[in-house]
Amino acid sequence: MTEPSAWERILNPSNRANPYPLYAELRKTPVTRAADGSYLVSTYAEIASLLHDPRVSSDIGRSPAAAAAGDGEGGPGMSPTFLTKDPPEHDKLRRITTRHFGPPVTPGRVAGMEARMTEIVTELIDAMAGRSRIDVVDDLAYPLPVTVISELLGVAPGDEKRFRVWVDLALQSTDPGMDPESQQQKRAEAGAQLRSFMEELVEKHRQAPGSDLLSALATDDGPEGRLPDEQLVSTGLLLLIAGHETTVNLISNGVLTLLRYPDQLQSLRNDPELVIPMVEELLRYEPPVHFVPLRTALDDIDIAGTTIPAGSPITLVLAAANRDPARFTDPDSFIPRRPNNQHLGFGGGIHLCFGAPLARLEAQIALTEFAGRVANPRLVSDPPPYRPSPFLRGPSHLPTDIDGITGFLFS
Ligand code: HEM
């Protein structure tokens, strides 16, 4: 029997807690051909270049891997979103959506939520009072982003319980350990439920628009027109899912890292402004998204001494690039004041994360308040248990012993 490759070991759940030595192994060959014929790219310079290369397509309709998984149309019965489109369609759909999310038309959408985010975090931390053990995932890292994205989109309070089950099912279906048939079945089931949930929500907002993002998308005719109905549904779902599943991991990976580096937790208490570079360093050091799969070479691409043949699937291993010693000095150390921290935690190029300003603000508030108010937090088990996904990586639970809750320590 042949030894499993570094990539096979990275996908194996037993290595979820610490895949970084395996990424170092992967980087020894910057571009590797995996057993399934796809090309894995793991070094910073090569990934940064491919993220900006128009010969690398994100169009799911061109992806042989997506077609094999039955996702050639963007998911069962789902219209592809701008995440899985190329220009010019990507750019147009992203512009129409951005109109209601950020500058220049709606500059206040994210900044306007700051006070509400602080209120949510304050309530979540207040609810920890009187307990000697908390679970950072269930008590803070999950409820904050899920509440924020629900309020942003106009999802009714309580509906989170409905979509959580289907989102979990959809994510389980990306577990590489699962056989392809049950994977497809789970994806189809989750996709159908999520789609009818979002169709209902879009219709409700069209009939009675509020001040939320979904109402704006469903009713406003900007200079480039409205998103077609099926696009509205798939974009609403993309924002709902991308809007919390990733941020949960940023906050829980962030707290985990602070508990492992108590000197940095203390530095944050002493200087709350440190949270801004600290969150960037977390996006490099413990990124929530470890790789972007389903890219396709549109032409033969010569890179790092290898030719990726036209038509080949490409996976960009962002988390390996973020620890590349050729780009970052002392890459395996957590150094919040690291100079020139151009991490790839939010990807890069035209698909650079759409929700980055929202995710940054949520993580900054959560970590500052946690550091300032939770007394003497200690990890119960290190490493904690991990969620199964190798690409959206983060703890499933983060049990933490505490000595209580205080008022805000900084003032
Ligand atoms: C810490 C949290 C987050 C991380 C680490 C993250 C990471 C990423 C990454 C790596 C990409 C690039 C994917 C690719 O190149 O194929 C991306 C794209 C995207 N993200 Fe995020 N994301 C986060 C939060 C959010 C939030 C809060 C939202 C929604 C409000 C969001 C919406 C999107 C969308 C719509 C895209 C597609 C952009 C495009 O194709 O032009 N993300 N994100």
Side-chain angles (χ1 to χ4, degrees), residues 51 58 81-85 90-91 94 97-98 101 110 145 148-149 152-153 213 235 238-251 279 283 286-295 316 318 343-360 362-363 392:
L51 281 168
S58 285
T81 62
F82 53 89
L83 173 67
T84 52
K85 288 269 183 204
H90 162 274
D91 305 6
R94 182 164 169 146
T97 313
T98 305
F101 183 70
V110 172
V148 168
I149 198 69
L152 184 93
L153 288 173
L213 176 60
T235 305
L238 170 67
L239 296 178
L240 183 66
I241 298 171
H244 74 276
E245 283 301 332
T246 46
T247 314
V248 175
N249 292 341
L250 180 58
I251 297 171
V279 166
L283 284 156
E286 283 282 24
V289 177
H290 272 223
F291 45 89
V292 287
L294 302 182
R295 294 288 215 268
L316 304 175
L318 304 175
H343 61 76
L344 299 178
F346 285 129
I350 61 165
H351 294 278
L352 179 76
C353 178
F354 172 93
L358 187 74
R360 283 192 166 110
E362 288 180 58
L392 295 182

Side-chain angles (χ1 to χ4, degrees), residues 33-327:
R33 190 171 183 275
D36 65 0
S38 65
Y39 283 77
L40 306 167
V41 187
S42 54
T43 41
Y44 188 96
E46 282 67 31
I47 293 184
S49 133
L50 293 179
L51 281 168
H52 291 87
D53 192 328
R55 295 171 300 170
V56 178
S57 170
S58 285
D59 187 338
I60 201 159
R62 294 175 187 260
S63 162
D71 278 359
E73 297 301 316
M78 216 81 85
S79 180
T81 62
F82 53 89
L83 173 67
T84 52
K85 288 269 183 204
D86 291 339
E89 235 182 318
H90 162 274
D91 305 6
K92 182 178 172 188
L93 294 172
R94 182 164 169 146
R95 273 196 309 271
I96 295 177
T97 313
T98 305
R99 228 178 106 71
H100 305 289
F101 183 70
V105 181
T106 323
R109 174 78 74 188
V110 172
M113 292 197 80
E114 184 171 352
R116 175 68 185 130
M117 287 181 197
T118 307
E119 187 177 73
I120 299 166
V121 174
T122 302
E123 281 168 14
L124 292 170
I125 294 186
D126 284 348
M128 297 171 188
R131 293 166 57 189
S132 58
R133 179 166 295 180
I134 58 168
D135 177 353
V136 173
V137 175
D138 286 354
D139 295 327
L140 176 66
Y142 179 80
L144 171 64
V146 89
T147 310
V148 168
I149 198 69
S150 296
E151 292 187 4
L152 184 93
L153 288 173
V155 175
D159 268 4
E160 171 266 318
K161 286 187 192 65
R162 288 172 66 200
F163 68 72
R164 184 174 193 174
V165 183
W166 307 319
V167 171
D168 282 351
L169 199 65
L171 290 183
Q172 270 172 35
S173 78
T174 64
D175 181 351
M178 193 180 282
D179 78 276
E181 207 173 303
S182 29
Q183 228 167 17
Q184 215 164 324
Q185 200 186 337
K186 275 188 194 275
R187 228 193 320 258
E189 196 184 323
Q193 297 281 10
L194 285 166
R195 195 167 71 145
S196 68
F197 171 75
M198 191 51 72
E199 279 169 352
E200 211 180 280
L201 196 65
V202 165
E203 201 38 50
K204 207 170 95 187
H205 287 350
R206 207 193 311 271
Q207 300 302 327
S211 56
D212 56 89
L213 176 60
L214 208 57
S215 293
L217 289 172
T219 55
D220 175 57
D221 291 312
E224 294 184 277
R226 228 180 255 189
L227 289 179
D229 273 5
E230 72 278 11
Q231 267 298 324
L232 250 172
V233 170
S234 52
T235 305
L237 284 174
L238 170 67
L239 296 178
L240 183 66
I241 298 171
H244 74 276
E245 283 301 332
T246 46
T247 314
V248 175
N249 292 341
L250 180 58
I251 297 171
S252 37
N253 290 339
V255 172
L256 174 63
T257 305
L258 288 179
L259 297 182
R260 285 174 172 166
Y261 284 80
D263 53 329
Q264 296 297 350
L265 178 64
Q266 193 51 47
S267 302
L268 180 58
R269 289 190 174 127
N270 298 342
D271 174 14
E273 290 292 311
L274 179 62
V275 81
I276 294 168
M278 186 176 268
V279 166
E280 299 313 302
E281 175 68 343
L282 284 168
L283 284 156
R284 181 195 72 82
Y285 180 77
E286 283 282 24
V289 177
H290 272 223
F291 45 89
V292 287
L294 302 182
R295 294 288 215 268
T296 309
L298 296 182
D299 205 344
D300 287 357
I301 300 174
D302 294 322
I303 186 153
T306 301
T307 300
I308 303 179
S312 306
I314 303 176
T315 294
L316 304 175
V317 191
L318 304 175
N322 276 344
R323 299 269 189 127
D324 185 346
R327 176 61 185 80

